[in-house]
Amino acid sequence: IKIFLLTVILCLPGCTKNIVVKENVFSTSCKEKILIFPFKNMAAVYGENVNSRCPICGKVFMTGEVAEDADNMLTEQLFILLKDRKDIQLIPASQSQGVVSDLLSEHQKRLSERDLLVETGRALKADCVLSGNIFRFRERVGGKYSVDLPASVAFDIHLIRVSDGRLLWNDHFDETQRPLSENLFRLGPFLQRKARWITANEMAVSGLKDVLKSFPVPNKPEPKQ
């Protein structure tokens, strides 16, 4: 019986290591206002199954299928996860749409990605812009306990200061769920996910929460003596 149970456990879904690397974590000097910029679908830019480089931080990701409306879902979730923080004031992504169109028309689409973010933030009187790119958002094919194809998600996020265009903080998430038998060291997430294959949405929200654990806190003025 013990051998049978061990075999069943090893066949249940685990996952690869969440590749969430803390890079360029700076003490941000932004005051309060942060513009949430819409996530960008990089597979639509470069195509699927190719190595693509992030235009902001330079990290390379393998692109893949990106489910319809995944960019909006991630953008909304990012706003939801940060909206209750008392030390920042968020500007929703919807306010950037008209500004971006005007900037692209005015500059004939010659603005770099970073310059576009900075100019949009400046137009909306933001101190910083928080932007993200989606490289993969593949939904699982199958059910909770048996799949033909597991979920796979990859994205990155950047915090850019509007005053000088400096990259203050960035982080990323890259995961394809795999059976626990392929990585026994992932027992923690395996148990948290109730020994089941999760959806791409579940994976993405979990990844956002992990990434935002390193999100910097704006500097506060020293108290008067």
Side-chain angles (χ1 to χ4, degrees):
I1 295 178
K2 291 183 178 179
I3 295 176
F4 173 75
L5 290 176
L6 179 61
T7 302
V8 171
I9 290 175
L10 290 178
C11 291
L12 289 173
C15 61
T16 58
K17 180 179 181 180
N18 291 0
I19 308 175
V20 182
V21 181
K22 278 46 182 184
E23 302 169 340
N24 302 328
V25 181
F26 300 105
S27 177
T28 171
S29 59
C30 66
K31 299 174 182 178
E32 294 181 351
K33 293 185 179 180
I34 298 179
L35 169 64
I36 302 292
F37 201 83
F39 271 80
K40 185 174 183 179
N41 180 354
M42 302 303 283
V45 177
Y46 295 107
E48 296 182 14
N49 303 316
V50 297
N51 286 321
S52 61
R53 186 178 300 276
C54 171
I56 303 299
C57 66
K59 183 171 177 59
V60 176
F61 294 85
M62 175 62 72
T63 61
E65 176 186 346
V66 174
E68 184 178 358
D69 211 39
D71 49 351
N72 292 328
M73 190 283 289
L74 273 175
T75 303
E76 291 172 5
Q77 284 298 318
L78 182 59
F79 186 89
I80 289 171
L81 291 172
L82 289 175
K83 68 181 179 65
D84 292 330
R85 285 186 52 154
K86 304 300 183 182
D87 50 5
I88 57 178
Q89 178 183 347
L90 298 182
I91 302 174
S94 58
Q95 294 191 25
S96 69
Q97 295 175 354
V99 176
V100 170
S101 296
D102 291 343
L103 286 172
L104 291 178
S105 175
E106 178 183 348
H107 294 272
Q108 300 180 348
K109 299 185 179 181
R110 288 180 293 185
L111 283 175
S112 69
E113 191 73 16
R114 186 177 301 207
D115 287 342
L116 178 62
L117 296 174
V118 168
E119 292 300 324
T120 303
R122 186 170 292 140
L124 293 172
K125 302 187 184 305
D127 298 296
C128 294
V129 178
L130 189 59
S131 70
N133 299 306
I134 306 176
F135 298 87
R136 288 193 319 279
F137 198 101
R138 186 187 71 202
E139 191 52 89
R140 76 181 184 200
V141 178
K144 294 180 180 179
Y145 302 105
S146 177
V147 296
D148 295 318
L149 194 65
S152 181
V153 174
F155 63 83
D156 62 5
I157 304 180
H158 316 87
L159 182 68
I160 297 174
R161 187 164 58 202
V162 169
S163 62
D164 57 6
R166 183 183 178 188
L167 179 61
L168 299 175
W169 169 86
N170 69 284
D171 214 331
H172 71 275
F173 177 86
D174 191 343
E175 179 182 340
T176 298
Q177 192 175 15
R178 302 192 184 282
L180 182 63
S181 58
E182 294 185 14
N183 192 347
L184 295 177
F185 296 102
R186 297 294 293 166
L187 183 60
F190 163 77
L191 295 176
Q192 291 174 5
R193 293 170 176 178
K194 301 179 181 179
R196 63 187 179 88
W197 296 96
I198 62 175
T199 65
N201 277 31
E202 291 172 322
M203 180 179 288
V205 172
S206 174
L208 272 176
K209 291 178 179 178
D210 285 344
V211 164
L212 290 176
K213 290 177 181 178
S214 70
F215 188 77
V217 177
N219 289 335
K220 296 181 180 179
E222 294 293 331
K224 294 181 179 180
Q225 300 296 328

